[in-house]
Amino acid sequence: MFRKLIMNVTDLETRVALLEDGNIVELFIERTNDTGIAGNIYKGKVQRVLPGMQAAFVDIGLKQAAFIYVGDVLADFQQTPMLARETIKEESEDEETERKDKASTQPNFLPIEELLSEGQEIMIQVTKPPIGTKGPRVTCHISLPGRFLVQMPTSSHIGVSRRIENEVERERLKTLVEKLRKDDMGYIVRTASEGVSDSKLISEMEFLANLWTKIQQKFVSMPPLTLIQRELNLSLRSVRDLLIDEADALIIDSEEGYNAILTFLDGFMPKLKDSVKLYDGTEPIFDAFNLEGDISRALKKKVWLKSGGYIIIEQTEALTSVDVNTGRYVGKHNLEETILKTNLEAVKEIAYQIRLRDISGIIVIDFIDMTKNTNQKKVHQALIDALKKDKSKTHVANFSEMGLIEMTRKRVRKSLRRTLSEPCLYCDGEGFLTSKQTICHNIYREVLREATDMVDKRITLHVNPDIAEMLHGEENQILVFLEKKINSRINIYPSSRYHLEQFDIFEILDSALK
């Protein structure tokens, strides 16, 4: 499978698309007025301690206060956290995050009111950016990512990426890091370390150690609510985190961004410079790779399958529902075979859409009902297999008695829908407009209501053209009854400036007629 990164950089926005065999599978967006803060390190001030939730709000100088759980708090900032020395069985690049998520549910921690107090100054790192009305999630367990290693100053654990499968190489890397580390700091050995010389790892360990020293010095010298260390911008993060592990090439349409990436690679991995190309075409780069259409389709509810079936994706605050339908597909042999084929085709599309749209939290999938348990097992296993390409952690439950599959996907950032869209200003996110017939009846009641205060009861009605057409057509009886009720003629003026649900009622006075 050939993977490449397509990077579109403008003065106001950076977009990075990860392609697998020409198909977009992930999209990352960063805007200059809404730069991502995940990974940033701040000197914060405790705003409020919540013993009932074993959590606290921390002011870091942003609009929304940050949120920290007890498991993410250090007993003493200059010391290691209480459970940091525990043994961790699994070794992966994201195991530290998984451990922290589980930590807050463990009873071994001291109560948060004994660890934090209002007005206390603490160093925190953003693990999740603000999503909707929720503020950023933060931790005191700092992690400093490099090209080959992730340093964890508040932990002593050493882990090796699961993607490094050679046991001899895994042991070499782990032994080397254990031997060279200072102050018993923890490290995660990243996939990019495989085959790298000892000298490069030593250099990066020294770089990260010096960086941590500078961060500590800034914490002491800088005032509260200050950004101590900013994470790399999207372009450089993509190079650091995706170019080696996920992609074989990178194409960028900005000469300035291209030069910045080459400079960045000089200090990390010069060999990768040949993988970076500057796009010089006249057509916009996302158009050249046919990505704009795919992005637009990723915002729609209905997604058609090749067979003629389709899936409906509905995202709400609490969960996301996915409904599978046969649509135009009628099959060739029998009903059960038709249903199985549609469900299996839907599985691949669902896994693809979840990853592309970055849907997270609880996801409920309503497959077409299957009578055979063996077919249910095939669909369930196919979904698990299809989700293996996804870097975000997922958990898939078995079919329920109602024929539904419930799954969860770890939330890391805002979904594509939240990033690129907002609630409809007409329907306030409801997804529906008042029907034309209902609007006509609303007009009927409102005219009667206002006519009681009118002197001459001569009325003009300003409405949307579609409503005017309906009042003169199939709902003409409403006008007839109104004119009888108020004993006066009603004049209707259609205006395209009026929203479908908008209408105005005006009284015509004698002075206006002269």
Side-chain angles (χ1 to χ4, degrees):
M1 182 183 297
F2 184 77
R3 298 184 177 95
K4 59 185 171 185
L5 293 170
I6 306 300
M7 195 172 293
N8 170 223
V9 181
T10 67
D11 293 333
L12 302 175
E13 179 185 61
T14 298
R15 296 187 297 172
V16 179
L18 174 62
L19 275 58
E20 292 181 354
D21 292 334
N23 298 314
I24 181 174
V25 293
E26 291 186 39
L27 178 67
F28 307 90
I29 299 173
E30 185 174 273
R31 290 168 178 154
T32 52
N33 60 350
D34 186 31
T35 304
I37 64 170
N40 285 358
I41 300 174
Y42 294 85
K43 183 174 183 177
K45 180 183 286 187
V46 178
Q47 196 174 62
R48 187 182 175 195
V49 179
L50 307 172
M53 296 181 65
Q54 284 301 291
F57 287 111
V58 182
D59 187 358
I60 57 176
L62 304 179
K63 292 181 180 179
Q64 295 169 300
F67 195 75
I68 188 168
Y69 286 103
V70 64
D72 291 315
V73 179
L74 300 181
D76 184 331
F77 181 73
Q78 300 301 329
Q79 298 177 11
T80 54
M82 288 162 289
L83 293 186
R85 306 304 185 190
E86 64 187 8
T87 302
I88 304 176
K89 295 179 181 179
E90 295 183 343
E91 295 178 343
S92 69
E93 290 184 8
D94 60 350
E95 63 184 324
E96 183 70 8
T97 303
E98 294 173 16
R99 182 184 66 77
K100 289 181 233 171
D101 287 340
K102 296 175 183 177
S104 59
T105 63
Q106 297 185 18
N108 305 44
F109 289 97
L110 292 172
I112 196 164
E113 59 268 29
E114 295 184 23
L115 299 174
L116 295 179
S117 58
E118 291 186 14
Q120 181 179 346
E121 297 175 1
I122 60 173
M123 183 193 294
I124 56 89
Q125 185 173 36
V126 178
T127 56
K128 291 182 181 178
I131 298 177
T133 58
K134 297 180 181 178
R137 170 85 178 270
V138 299
T139 181
C140 291
H141 300 263
I142 308 298
S143 61
L144 304 175
R147 176 64 265 171
F148 307 115
L149 304 166
V150 177
Q151 186 189 73
M152 301 177 294
T154 62
S155 173
S156 64
H157 175 70
I158 294 179
V160 181
S161 169
R162 288 196 190 109
R163 297 186 183 182
I164 301 178
E165 298 178 353
N166 187 297
E167 288 299 328
V168 176
E169 178 65 5
R170 290 175 64 87
E171 187 61 33
R172 178 187 79 88
L173 293 169
K174 188 170 184 178
T175 302
L176 179 65
V177 173
E178 284 180 339
K179 177 183 177 182
L180 297 175
R181 66 173 173 172
K182 299 177 181 179
D183 301 324
D184 213 22
M185 287 187 185
Y187 287 90
I188 295 294
V189 181
R190 307 187 72 172
T191 308
S193 299
E194 187 171 13
V196 170
S197 65
D198 294 2
S199 59
K200 288 187 177 182
L201 290 179
I202 293 170
S203 297
E204 183 155 292
M205 290 180 76
E206 291 176 351
F207 169 78
L208 292 174
N210 292 334
L211 177 60
W212 174 238
T213 299
K214 291 178 182 178
I215 289 172
Q216 288 177 304
Q217 291 171 348
K218 286 183 180 180
F219 177 78
V220 174
S221 62
M222 299 178 79
L225 317 186
T226 301
L227 174 63
I228 297 176
Q229 177 72 18
R230 186 185 297 277
E231 174 64 302
L232 298 175
N233 61 32
L234 178 58
S235 299
L236 299 184
R237 285 203 312 274
S238 300
V239 173
R240 184 191 67 194
D241 299 334
L242 297 174
L243 190 53
I244 266 285
D245 301 336
E246 301 294 330
D248 304 294
L250 184 153
I251 304 173
I252 182 171
D253 63 355
S254 164
E255 186 172 358
E256 182 181 352
Y258 172 75
N259 292 328
I261 288 173
L262 294 184
T263 301
F264 179 76
L265 287 174
D266 271 332
F268 281 92
M269 190 167 284
K271 290 182 179 179
L272 284 178
K273 292 171 69 174
D274 292 338
S275 302
V276 181
K277 305 295 182 185
L278 177 62
Y279 177 74
D280 57 0
T282 56
E283 189 179 16
I285 188 169
F286 269 40
D287 289 341
F289 286 90
N290 300 315
L291 302 181
E292 297 291 7
D294 291 334
I295 295 170
S296 296
R297 283 190 290 274
L299 298 176
K300 298 184 181 299
K301 291 183 180 180
K302 181 180 284 190
V303 180
W304 287 98
L305 306 175
K306 291 181 179 179
S307 65
Y310 63 89
I311 61 175
I312 298 290
I313 302 173
E314 293 272 8
Q315 290 181 252
T316 68
E317 287 292 330
L319 54 83
T320 298
S321 66
V322 183
D323 185 35
V324 182
N325 299 275
T326 53
R328 298 189 294 261
Y329 181 59
V330 295
K332 295 182 179 179
H333 299 289
N334 57 64
L335 178 61
E336 183 71 11
E337 181 183 313
T338 301
I339 291 173
L340 177 60
K341 183 174 180 180
T342 304
N343 283 340
L344 288 175
E345 185 181 10
V347 159
K348 296 179 181 179
E349 188 64 35
I350 290 169
Y352 172 74
Q353 291 294 334
I354 286 174
R355 186 180 175 191
L356 175 59
R357 300 178 187 221
D358 207 1
I359 299 172
S360 54
I362 301 171
I363 303 169
V364 179
I365 306 173
D366 184 9
F367 286 104
I368 306 170
D369 290 338
M370 294 169 284
T371 57
K372 297 181 180 179
N373 289 334
T374 54
N375 288 342
Q376 284 191 348
K377 291 179 180 179
K378 287 180 182 178
V379 172
H380 181 261
Q381 187 58 48
L383 180 60
I384 293 174
D385 293 340
L387 290 168
K388 287 180 179 177
K389 296 179 181 178
D390 196 343
K391 295 191 298 295
S392 292
K393 186 179 180 182
T394 57
H395 174 73
V396 182
N398 290 316
F399 273 93
S400 68
E401 293 182 1
M402 302 294 292
L404 306 174
I405 279 186
E406 297 177 7
M407 64 168 286
T408 59
R409 184 173 183 267
K410 189 172 182 178
R411 179 178 283 113
V412 178
R413 53 195 172 97
K414 290 192 293 185
S415 68
L416 192 64
R417 179 187 172 192
R418 281 187 177 273
T419 302
L420 298 180
S421 61
E422 61 184 24
C424 173
L425 61 90
Y426 294 122
C427 68
D428 197 24
E430 294 292 332
F432 294 93
L433 291 174
T434 306
S435 70
K436 298 182 185 72
Q437 187 179 40
T438 301
I439 295 169
C440 290
H441 285 273
N442 289 344
I443 291 172
Y444 175 82
R445 287 188 292 271
E446 190 63 27
V447 168
L448 289 180
R449 192 177 294 120
E450 292 198 14
T452 58
D453 298 324
M454 293 180 179
V455 178
D456 295 325
K457 294 184 172 57
R458 281 176 289 182
I459 293 172
T460 63
L461 193 59
H462 292 240
V463 297
N464 179 277
D466 290 344
I467 300 301
E469 184 180 351
M470 180 162 276
L471 286 172
H472 285 304
E474 57 189 280
E475 293 296 336
N476 181 253
Q477 58 182 353
I478 288 179
L479 280 182
V480 174
F481 286 136
L482 273 177
E483 290 177 344
K484 284 184 179 179
K485 286 271 188 182
I486 65 175
N487 195 28
S488 180
R489 181 176 176 79
I490 297 175
N491 297 310
I492 297 177
Y493 291 91
S495 175
S496 58
R497 293 178 300 174
Y498 276 66
H499 178 260
L500 187 72
E501 297 177 347
Q502 181 185 1
F503 60 87
D504 284 316
I505 301 167
F506 298 99
E507 180 184 10
I508 304 176
L509 301 175
D510 286 338
S511 60
L513 298 174
K514 292 179 182 180

